Amino acid sequence: MKPNEGRSRVVIEQIEPSVDAGRYPAKRILGDNVRVTAAIFADGHDHIAARLLYRHSSKKQWQAAPFVATTNDMWSAQFPVDMLGEWRFTIEAWIDHFDTWVADLAKRLAAQQDGTQDIPLALRIGANHLDAAAARAKGTDAEALKLAARSLHSLAEQSLAEYLMPISAETIALVASYPDLSFATKYPVELPLWVDRERARFSSWYELFPRSASEMPGQHGTLCDVAARVPEIAAMGFDVLYMPPIHPIGVAYRKGKNNAVRAEAGDVGSPWAIGAAEGGHTAILPELGTFTDFHALVSVAKANNIDIALDIAFQCSPDHPWVTEHPAWFNHRPDGSIQYAENPPKKYQDIYPLNFESADWRGLWDALYGVFKFWSDRGVRVFRVDNPHTKALPFWEWCIAEVLKSAPDTIFLAEAFTRPHVMYSLAKAGFTQGYTYFTWRTGKAELQEYFTEIANPPVRDFFRPNVWPNTPDILHAQFQVEPLAERRAVFQQRVILAATLSANYGIYGPAYELLEGRPAKPAPGKTGSEEYLDSEKYQLRAWNRNDPNSIAPLITQLNRIRRENLSLQRNENLVFHTVPNDNMLVYSKTTADGSNAVLVVVNLDPKAEQSGWLDLNLAALGLPWQGWFDVEDLLTGVVYHWKDQWNFVSLKPEVTAHIFRIMR
Amino acid sequence: MKPNEGRSRVVIEQIEPSVDAGRYPAKRILGDNVRVTAAIFADGHDHIAARLLYRHSSKKQWQAAPFVATTNDMWSAQFPVDMLGEWRFTIEAWIDHFDTWVADLAKRLAAQQDGTQDIPLALRIGANHLDAAAARAKGTDAEALKLAARSLHSLAEQSLAEYLMPISAETIALVASYPDLSFATKYPVELPLWVDRERARFSSWYELFPRSASEMPGQHGTLCDVAARVPEIAAMGFDVLYMPPIHPIGVAYRKGKNNAVRAEAGDVGSPWAIGAAEGGHTAILPELGTFTDFHALVSVAKANNIDIALDIAFQCSPDHPWVTEHPAWFNHRPDGSIQYAENPPKKYQDIYPLNFESADWRGLWDALYGVFKFWSDRGVRVFRVDNPHTKALPFWEWCIAEVLKSAPDTIFLAEAFTRPHVMYSLAKAGFTQGYTYFTWRTGKAELQEYFTEIANPPVRDFFRPNVWPNTPDILHAQFQVEPLAERRAVFQQRVILAATLSANYGIYGPAYELLEGRPAKPAPGKTGSEEYLDSEKYQLRAWNRNDPNSIAPLITQLNRIRRENLSLQRNENLVFHTVPNDNMLVYSKTTADGSNAVLVVVNLDPKAEQSGWLDLNLAALGLPWQGWFDVEDLLTGVVYHWKDQWNFVSLKPEVTAHIFRIMR
């Protein structure tokens, strides 16, 4: 069957950014100038024109931006995004007969001396184009175009020995502003784009257990204790303060210290065993304080430019009110009991998973959304979601979109340490940021490979990494070392990598800065436990933040460097440089305008000095291909005078890294 | 807004083959077993099952094939295509709770001695699954499933010291054949797939000008002369015989010999200046013969397993009947004249292009389709289309689909030597095969790069290369050399490359086998003319096919080798091997079952002997990573005894190449 309009000759293909052909939105940040590229072409040799149509989805009217040709039928256009939320864009392209005519006329004029070029006829064709444009134009523009047409006609009447180009750049621009869209091709899909606030791209997270926040050893910490610590955390340079679940903790099957199957009297249990007589996901554990305390914490955080991040873990202790109020949301066994969490033969009887195949899935979805809405209404704009990969993906796509409707500045971090497709699918479904495999990528080759994957299309258009050297669940074997000097070198190395490889990073403290490396079980080789000994997941801890071995000063310095160097606040500019040493990792980030470039050289070996000749990609640093330049080590303030691409670096293990700023 | 069914937890992504997310069909061949891969996954750890649904588009009923998991959430399924034309496929996937239960039960049984596993409860859960499957099943299957459920129940009643796995492989298979699709995810797109006959993938084309087919020098050749030559062409091993346009040739502005602007008396003109008083695209030039002669030619060709390919050039001489009958199909200038073809300042006054922006575009499309239909009705099943890239792409998509409706065994070859996007777009729009850049790819690196691109996804799923060392329009500078020995080496090299790199290839003969290398204008360096001197495009030629320098015997041998070695009849199996010599190209093709493997070693230097140690990719040849093996040179019959990956080859320029068959 013939199409409605067979004269739409232009083809539009390969639009970027697009995620799964427009099934999911690409992600950008407020204030970005979004660059859109596409293959746009037609049969033959006629000139083409194209424009980008874009709008915030709350508006009906499209705005337009012109495409310019780059190379080999590829075109590029840009549009600024000045509102949070969903945008849409698409492309319209058409044959530009006037522009074709102008180019042909120039060739005819250049060849007019051969005597075979009928210039007057060509001028009359041009006059017809101008008259047609005048008919599409309005007011004075129409008059100007009519005048230009008449001028061509009268020129065509004259028999000149030599004709000069009779069309001005102004006339060409005027015609272009009244394009003939009769046979324009409109791309059939409106591609979605989601715009987040800046913290979605650039954030520094500090995780702490409120229960351990008391200055009095042995005393249960409170939200007020946390509030008291906020200025110190802000001074360290963090802008997200994330707390494990603050809800009432179940009593049934409560776990004891070090994950003991049976709790002893006074054991505080796991914050992830959510729900007790006092309430569930919308209640606060009484030991932590009241809603008044919570609001005070959110306020002091806000005053310090810090977001409070809550941990949303959709699972229930057997004491959670939902267990009795909504039995349909749980899976029941033939004996009538509720199915607890299992990974046969292991059992987690203190946890009831929610059943996403419940007949009342709509009610369940509403309730889970209600949890986000509840805390959103109380000023929370950052949620770290526990194990989202064990909840149905269609639920997340719906729920996150619902939350963002009323609070488009909300950030969701997916705590999904699972297979790549599932992690990426959560990002596509709406999670703003995601945990990564960084925690287990320790070698040079695997770090380069992984960060190359996540810093480039297609992944970077939908997945924003948030990298953590440690979490309460993961004390990597690398950290479980003695002597102290070596352990400190590892802790330094990993936080430097996290803070400079990725614009979003976080640490679980104070365990991190205090170099906590004791595993729950001795870990010979790589087969040991990644659990902490005396984990805060099951007990209070008292941390000596005045420990002289604390690397808090280094972390403070890193966060300052991140704030002061715009290039470190994004990922798509990550470039690895070559050095013939498998224990040295070299990479840089440079702003698009070249005004800020940071080069990081890391010694991956905590035991020995490593050195090598860097083979710098000077273009990636915005430097000419040869010549002298200065680099300043932002950690020490020392300035080095370098030349051309080859430069020598040596790093003692206790120094760990140089973070060079390229000086101009 | 919530989806209609929120419990469909499985996600389906990254389906291959798919061309532009299903906008265009992927291409396969009758008898192929089409392998479909996809990422299929869900939240959590439940097992998944998936099936491929496929059907010929003429049938309503879907057929199903099971998916099997490969690695990292990727799955694979296959379906056979036993009908020409359009097929459709999609994917359905679901959580397989029974399979999950079986796996969990196995783990519980393995751990039952720890005393904490409630096996009877697990058995009762399994019995419920079996009862549910019985409810979905029919007849004796339902009975068998009910029986299995009862057996589990009764086992659960017993209190055993040790339980054995109570579920047989047969029961598991039986449950799998009645899947619970209540919450299945169905991929929202039906992906199209086009199935061609085998010649679309594997063909050997011979192009000749019928006007030069007479055995009498100076006499205008006829279709009868061509028919007389068919057995010889078949004996050379060709299966497509392609003739430039056979229609009446215009008189107005007729070109003379060697493209002279003015024809002299007796000049025959260009076959591409189509149309005269005798008729247009559906008429035959009287000098060539009658429709009776044409039918005789088609018949003798068919008897020799040869397809006659017509050249469809949609353009008109000023004398074409359409010029007066359908003036609306042409572009008119302000002086009332019809716009001839131009590339300012050049003019082609003997050619009127058709105007695809005509107000009567529907009438034009119908007429152009009518040309294909006319010749299709007269038994033609192969069309070489001249300059399709100067006709609107939406037209081709419609027209080719229309032709294929009544003749799905039709092959369209696009003669588009233009930019990559346009060439690929023609293939997506429906062209079965396309001309390539091979004609200008002469160096080792560029040959490897180009053939790697077109032999791999995504290109190979929609674009089938047909490679030509020469055409009547293109005598590459490489061929314009003396002495004869060197010229012969080049002609040998290029036809060997064409015939073994690509399953579809063709030559313009007898110019090719007779080593015609004289350019229209002397070509110093690379800036000269690619036109032939005394080109058949403008005059008759008498060819001495008995020239002892003819390389027809080599070409005959190549075509025989191609027929006898299945691996050479496809492209997706092309693998380049390493040799440290820039004048040697080494590549192989191996059938999927490993039964046929051909290794080609080409000396790219027509002037000197070249040698080197081949570094063979033995796995690609279906050989073990070490050991002795024999290779037979199919050009000479000589057998070589080789060992492991490193083997030495030396090629004199007059030998040009080895085409080795790996012997088993």
Side-chain angles (χ1 to χ4, degrees):
Chain A
M1 223 180 62
K2 296 193 188 75
N4 287 333
E5 178 50 81
R7 292 168 290 185
S8 300
R9 293 163 46 203
V10 182
V11 175
I12 304 168
E13 286 185 352
Q14 293 181 19
I15 303 184
E16 297 287 338
S18 80
V19 178
D20 292 2
R23 167 69 180 83
Y24 303 99
K27 295 176 183 169
R28 290 295 185 272
I29 295 294
L30 195 68
D32 275 354
N33 218 357
V34 180
R35 183 166 184 255
V36 176
T37 59
I40 307 177
F41 53 90
D43 63 281
H45 306 287
D46 289 334
H47 288 211
I48 282 172
R51 62 184 186 182
L52 180 71
L53 300 175
Y54 63 95
R55 61 179 173 92
H56 189 272
S57 61
S58 66
K59 300 186 175 174
K60 290 205 170 151
Q61 193 67 35
W62 292 100
Q63 292 181 268
F67 270 95
V68 293
T70 54
T71 178
N72 239 340
D73 292 321
M74 294 302 296
W75 296 67
S76 169
Q78 295 196 323
F79 70 103
V81 284
D82 54 8
M83 269 179 77
L84 292 178
E86 197 198 49
W87 290 67
R88 302 198 151 250
F89 65 93
T90 190
I91 297 175
E92 199 168 34
W94 59 94
I95 302 287
D96 187 340
H97 288 295
F98 180 72
D99 203 54
T100 309
W101 172 83
V102 171
D104 283 356
L105 181 65
K107 290 179 207 157
R108 285 184 219 277
L109 293 174
Q112 61 186 303
Q113 297 313 327
D114 75 7
T116 69
Q117 304 300 320
D118 191 342
I119 307 291
L121 183 56
L123 295 176
R124 284 190 196 99
I125 293 173
N128 290 350
H129 285 305
L130 288 168
D131 277 329
R136 295 188 296 270
K138 291 168 197 160
T140 56
D141 287 350
E143 292 308 316
L145 289 164
K146 275 184 211 158
L147 193 65
R150 276 200 295 278
S151 147
L152 281 197
H153 273 301
S154 88
L155 187 60
E157 295 303 318
Q158 302 165 39
S159 191
L160 300 183
E162 186 181 0
Y163 293 86
L164 300 176
M165 171 55 77
I167 301 291
S168 67
E170 290 73 26
T171 304
I172 293 172
L174 195 56
V175 176
S177 64
Y178 297 100
D180 180 2
L181 301 177
S182 319
F183 309 143
T185 297
K186 191 159 174 185
Y187 192 70
V189 179
E190 293 179 11
L191 292 155
L193 184 99
W194 183 267
V195 173
D196 286 303
R197 62 178 163 132
E198 201 195 355
R199 197 156 284 174
R201 174 170 65 206
F202 172 57
S203 62
S204 311
W205 292 52
Y206 191 82
E207 174 176 5
L208 63 70
F209 279 79
R211 58 166 56 166
S212 300
S214 169
E215 297 291 339
M216 303 283 286
Q219 187 166 314
H220 198 290
T222 66
L223 297 178
C224 293
D225 294 329
V226 176
R229 282 210 54 202
V230 163
E232 175 191 329
I233 292 162
M236 278 174 81
F238 290 99
D239 48 29
V240 179
L241 171 55
Y242 147 48
M243 301 182 294
I246 59 172
H247 315 302
I249 294 170
V251 177
Y253 295 97
R254 174 177 285 194
K255 294 287 173 68
K257 292 193 184 69
N258 284 304
N259 202 20
V261 175
R262 230 171 286 255
E264 295 182 12
D267 276 350
V268 287
S270 162
W272 285 274
I274 296 172
E278 297 87 353
H281 286 79
T282 52
I284 296 175
L285 180 73
E287 286 85 342
L288 288 176
T290 64
F291 274 95
T292 307
D293 301 334
F294 182 78
H295 293 144
L297 171 57
V298 171
S299 293
V300 69
K302 185 170 258 180
N304 282 273
N305 191 27
I306 283 182
D307 267 297
I308 291 294
L310 287 193
D311 190 340
I312 303 297
F314 283 143
Q315 56 194 19
C316 298
S317 92
D319 307 315
H320 195 292
W322 287 349
V323 175
T324 44
E325 292 167 12
H326 299 283
W329 296 351
F330 301 90
N331 203 355
H332 294 262
R333 305 194 292 182
D335 63 357
S337 65
I338 290 180
Q339 177 67 62
Y340 46 77
E342 276 193 300
N343 182 15
K346 291 188 201 160
K347 305 173 175 194
Y348 307 94
Q349 287 159 302
D350 56 334
I351 300 290
Y352 287 172
L354 293 157
N355 177 15
F356 282 82
E357 293 185 4
S358 166
D360 185 31
W361 63 272
R362 289 182 184 83
L364 173 62
W365 284 25
D366 287 335
L368 300 182
Y369 160 72
V371 172
F372 286 110
K373 181 69 174 143
F374 179 90
W375 294 108
S376 180
D377 287 347
R378 279 147 190 84
V380 178
R381 286 294 178 277
V382 182
F383 296 101
R384 178 268 198 193
V385 177
D386 189 76
N387 278 336
H389 56 290
T390 59
K391 286 89 197 174
L393 285 155
F395 163 71
W396 289 122
E397 189 169 5
W398 170 82
C399 180
I400 292 174
E402 285 299 305
V403 175
L404 291 170
K405 271 184 197 166
S406 56
D409 55 340
T410 308
I411 291 171
F412 296 85
L413 166 62
E415 187 250 3
F417 293 108
T418 179
R419 290 117 55 210
H421 276 110
V422 178
M423 285 170 72
Y424 288 160
S425 206
L426 288 162
K428 291 176 183 175
F431 279 92
T432 324
Q433 304 178 349
Y435 279 55
T436 70
Y437 301 136
F438 168 74
T439 318
W440 300 278
R441 296 291 180 275
T442 58
K444 175 175 179 168
E446 62 188 3
L447 280 165
Q448 289 189 170
E449 187 186 353
Y450 186 52
F451 278 89
T452 297
E453 174 183 322
I454 58 183
N456 285 289
V459 177
R460 77 170 182 214
D461 281 332
F462 60 84
F463 178 77
R464 290 200 195 92
N466 189 331
V467 311
W468 292 68
N470 74 329
T471 79
D473 293 319
I474 311 168
L475 173 68
H476 189 277
Q478 211 186 4
F479 294 118
Q480 304 173 21
V481 290
E482 297 290 347
L484 173 65
E486 187 181 329
R487 191 162 78 250
R488 183 164 47 207
V490 176
F491 274 83
Q492 290 183 168
Q493 178 208 123
R494 295 297 291 178
V495 73
I496 289 171
L497 289 171
T500 56
L501 277 170
S502 173
N504 295 305
Y505 92 109
I507 57 170
Y508 154 51
Y512 200 87
E513 62 264 31
L514 298 180
L515 316 182
E516 174 62 82
R518 296 171 307 138
K521 293 173 202 159
K526 294 199 168 183
T527 58
S529 170
E530 290 188 333
E531 290 288 336
Y532 281 89
L533 183 65
D534 302 333
S535 170
E536 288 180 285
K537 293 196 290 187
Y538 311 106
Q539 67 186 75
L540 315 186
R541 284 289 297 272
W543 297 102
N544 174 17
R545 300 203 306 284
N546 299 318
D547 187 331
N549 291 313
S550 167
I551 60 168
L554 169 67
I555 294 168
T556 305
Q557 210 176 5
L558 286 172
N559 284 332
R560 180 184 51 74
I561 291 169
R562 283 161 53 87
R563 274 200 314 279
E564 292 175 356
N565 290 274
L566 287 174
S567 63
L568 294 176
Q569 299 176 14
R570 40 209 320 147
N571 292 338
E572 78 281 1
N573 53 355
L574 177 65
V575 172
F576 289 99
H577 299 252
T578 304
V579 62
N581 181 331
D582 283 347
N583 278 308
M584 293 178 82
L585 189 69
V586 188
Y587 49 95
S588 69
K589 292 187 170 185
T590 303
T591 53
D593 65 0
S595 62
N596 179 251
V598 170
L599 174 75
V600 186
V601 185
V602 182
N603 176 359
L604 297 177
D605 178 1
K607 297 184 186 180
E609 181 168 358
Q610 295 290 338
S611 61
W613 283 91
L614 313 188
D615 179 3
L616 296 177
N617 176 342
L618 293 174
L621 297 170
L623 291 170
W625 69 277
Q626 64 174 15
W628 289 94
F629 58 99
D630 289 338
V631 297
E632 177 194 8
D633 186 342
L634 298 170
L635 290 171
T636 62
V638 176
V639 172
Y640 299 84
H641 197 47
W642 281 5
K643 184 168 180 289
D644 303 347
Q645 82 199 78
W646 294 96
N647 290 282
F648 186 79
V649 167
S650 186
L651 281 164
K652 292 193 164 42
E654 64 270 25
V655 173
T656 305
H658 291 303
I659 303 180
F660 293 120
R661 182 176 64 85
I662 310 298
M663 302 172 75
R664 311 271 164 199
Chain B
M1 222 178 65
K2 294 194 188 79
N4 287 332
E5 179 49 82
R7 292 168 289 184
S8 299
R9 292 164 46 203
V10 181
V11 176
I12 305 169
E13 286 185 351
Q14 293 180 22
I15 302 184
E16 296 285 339
S18 80
V19 179
D20 292 1
R23 166 69 181 82
Y24 303 100
K27 295 174 183 169
R28 291 295 186 271
I29 295 294
L30 195 68
D32 275 354
N33 218 355
V34 180
R35 181 166 187 257
V36 176
T37 59
I40 307 177
F41 53 89
D43 63 281
H45 306 286
D46 288 334
H47 288 210
I48 282 173
R51 62 183 186 182
L52 181 71
L53 299 175
Y54 62 95
R55 62 180 173 90
H56 190 272
S57 60
S58 66
K59 300 186 175 173
K60 288 207 172 151
Q61 193 67 35
W62 292 101
Q63 293 182 269
F67 270 94
V68 294
T70 53
T71 177
N72 238 340
D73 293 322
M74 294 302 296
W75 295 66
S76 169
Q78 295 195 323
F79 71 103
V81 284
D82 53 8
M83 270 178 77
L84 292 178
E86 197 199 49
W87 290 67
R88 301 197 153 251
F89 65 93
T90 192
I91 297 176
E92 199 169 34
W94 58 94
I95 303 287
D96 188 339
H97 287 295
F98 179 73
D99 204 54
T100 309
W101 172 83
V102 170
D104 282 355
L105 181 64
K107 290 179 207 157
R108 285 184 218 277
L109 293 174
Q112 62 186 301
Q113 297 313 329
D114 73 8
T116 70
Q117 304 300 320
D118 191 342
I119 307 290
L121 183 56
L123 295 175
R124 284 189 196 102
I125 293 173
N128 289 349
H129 285 305
L130 289 167
D131 277 328
R136 295 188 297 269
K138 293 166 197 162
T140 55
D141 287 349
E143 291 308 316
L145 289 164
K146 275 184 211 156
L147 194 66
R150 277 200 297 277
S151 147
L152 281 196
H153 272 302
S154 88
L155 187 61
E157 295 303 319
Q158 301 165 40
S159 191
L160 299 183
E162 187 181 0
Y163 291 87
L164 300 177
M165 171 54 76
I167 300 290
S168 68
E170 290 72 25
T171 303
I172 292 172
L174 195 56
V175 176
S177 64
Y178 296 100
D180 180 3
L181 301 177
S182 320
F183 309 142
T185 297
K186 192 158 175 185
Y187 192 71
V189 179
E190 292 179 12
L191 291 156
L193 184 98
W194 183 268
V195 173
D196 286 303
R197 62 177 164 131
E198 200 195 358
R199 198 156 285 174
R201 175 169 63 206
F202 172 56
S203 62
S204 311
W205 292 51
Y206 190 81
E207 173 176 5
L208 62 70
F209 279 78
R211 57 166 60 167
S212 299
S214 169
E215 297 290 340
M216 303 283 286
Q219 189 166 312
H220 198 291
T222 66
L223 297 177
C224 293
D225 295 329
V226 175
R229 283 210 55 200
V230 162
E232 176 190 327
I233 292 163
M236 279 175 80
F238 290 100
D239 48 29
V240 179
L241 171 55
Y242 147 47
M243 301 182 295
I246 59 172
H247 316 301
I249 295 171
V251 178
Y253 296 98
R254 175 177 284 194
K255 295 287 172 71
K257 292 191 183 73
N258 284 304
N259 202 20
V261 175
R262 231 170 286 252
E264 295 181 13
D267 277 350
V268 288
S270 163
W272 285 274
I274 295 172
E278 298 86 356
H281 287 79
T282 52
I284 297 175
L285 180 74
E287 287 85 342
L288 288 176
T290 65
F291 274 95
T292 307
D293 301 334
F294 181 78
H295 293 143
L297 171 57
V298 170
S299 293
V300 69
K302 185 170 258 179
N304 282 273
N305 191 26
I306 283 183
D307 267 298
I308 291 294
L310 287 193
D311 190 340
I312 303 297
F314 283 143
Q315 55 194 18
C316 298
S317 92
D319 307 315
H320 195 291
W322 287 349
V323 174
T324 46
E325 292 167 12
H326 299 282
W329 296 352
F330 302 90
N331 203 355
H332 294 262
R333 303 194 293 182
D335 64 357
S337 65
I338 290 180
Q339 177 68 62
Y340 46 79
E342 276 191 300
N343 183 13
K346 291 187 202 161
K347 305 172 176 195
Y348 307 94
Q349 287 157 304
D350 57 333
I351 300 291
Y352 287 172
L354 293 157
N355 177 16
F356 283 82
E357 293 185 4
S358 167
D360 185 30
W361 63 273
R362 290 184 183 81
L364 174 62
W365 284 24
D366 286 336
L368 300 182
Y369 160 72
V371 172
F372 286 110
K373 180 69 173 145
F374 179 91
W375 294 107
S376 180
D377 288 346
R378 280 147 190 85
V380 178
R381 286 293 179 274
V382 182
F383 296 101
R384 178 267 197 193
V385 177
D386 188 76
N387 277 336
H389 56 291
T390 60
K391 285 89 196 173
L393 285 154
F395 162 71
W396 289 122
E397 188 168 6
W398 169 82
C399 180
I400 292 174
E402 285 298 306
V403 175
L404 292 170
K405 272 184 196 165
S406 56
D409 55 342
T410 309
I411 291 171
F412 296 86
L413 167 62
E415 186 249 4
F417 293 108
T418 180
R419 291 117 53 211
H421 276 110
V422 178
M423 285 171 72
Y424 289 159
S425 206
L426 288 162
K428 292 176 184 175
F431 279 91
T432 324
Q433 304 178 348
Y435 280 54
T436 69
Y437 301 136
F438 168 73
T439 317
W440 300 278
R441 296 288 182 276
T442 57
K444 175 176 180 166
E446 61 188 4
L447 281 165
Q448 289 190 168
E449 187 186 354
Y450 186 51
F451 278 89
T452 298
E453 175 183 322
I454 58 184
N456 286 288
V459 177
R460 77 169 183 215
D461 280 332
F462 60 85
F463 179 77
R464 291 199 195 90
N466 190 330
V467 311
W468 291 67
N470 74 330
T471 78
D473 293 320
I474 311 169
L475 173 68
H476 190 277
Q478 213 186 2
F479 294 118
Q480 304 173 21
V481 290
E482 297 291 347
L484 173 64
E486 185 180 330
R487 191 162 78 249
R488 183 163 47 210
V490 176
F491 274 84
Q492 290 183 169
Q493 177 207 124
R494 294 297 291 180
V495 73
I496 290 170
L497 289 171
T500 55
L501 278 169
S502 173
N504 294 305
Y505 91 108
I507 57 170
Y508 154 51
Y512 199 88
E513 62 266 31
L514 298 180
L515 316 181
E516 174 63 83
R518 296 171 307 137
K521 295 172 200 158
K526 294 202 168 179
T527 58
S529 171
E530 290 187 334
E531 289 289 335
Y532 281 90
L533 183 66
D534 303 333
S535 170
E536 287 180 284
K537 292 197 290 188
Y538 311 106
Q539 67 186 74
L540 314 185
R541 284 289 297 271
W543 298 102
N544 174 17
R545 301 205 306 283
N546 299 318
D547 186 329
N549 291 313
S550 169
I551 61 167
L554 169 67
I555 294 169
T556 305
Q557 210 176 4
L558 286 172
N559 285 331
R560 180 184 50 73
I561 291 169
R562 282 162 52 86
R563 274 198 315 279
E564 292 174 358
N565 290 273
L566 287 174
S567 62
L568 294 176
Q569 299 176 14
R570 39 209 320 148
N571 292 338
E572 78 281 1
N573 53 355
L574 177 65
V575 172
F576 288 99
H577 300 251
T578 303
V579 61
N581 181 333
D582 283 346
N583 278 308
M584 294 178 81
L585 189 69
V586 187
Y587 49 94
S588 69
K589 292 187 171 186
T590 303
T591 53
D593 64 2
S595 62
N596 178 250
V598 171
L599 174 76
V600 186
V601 185
V602 181
N603 176 357
L604 296 177
D605 178 2
K607 299 184 185 180
E609 180 168 358
Q610 295 290 338
S611 61
W613 284 90
L614 313 188
D615 179 4
L616 296 177
N617 176 342
L618 293 173
L621 297 169
L623 290 170
W625 69 278
Q626 64 175 15
W628 290 94
F629 58 99
D630 290 338
V631 297
E632 176 194 8
D633 186 342
L634 298 170
L635 290 171
T636 61
V638 177
V639 173
Y640 299 83
H641 198 46
W642 281 5
K643 183 169 180 287
D644 303 346
Q645 82 198 79
W646 294 97
N647 291 283
F648 187 79
V649 167
S650 186
L651 281 164
K652 290 192 167 41
E654 65 269 23
V655 173
T656 305
H658 292 302
I659 303 179
F660 293 119
R661 184 177 63 86
I662 310 298
M663 301 173 78
R664 312 268 164 201

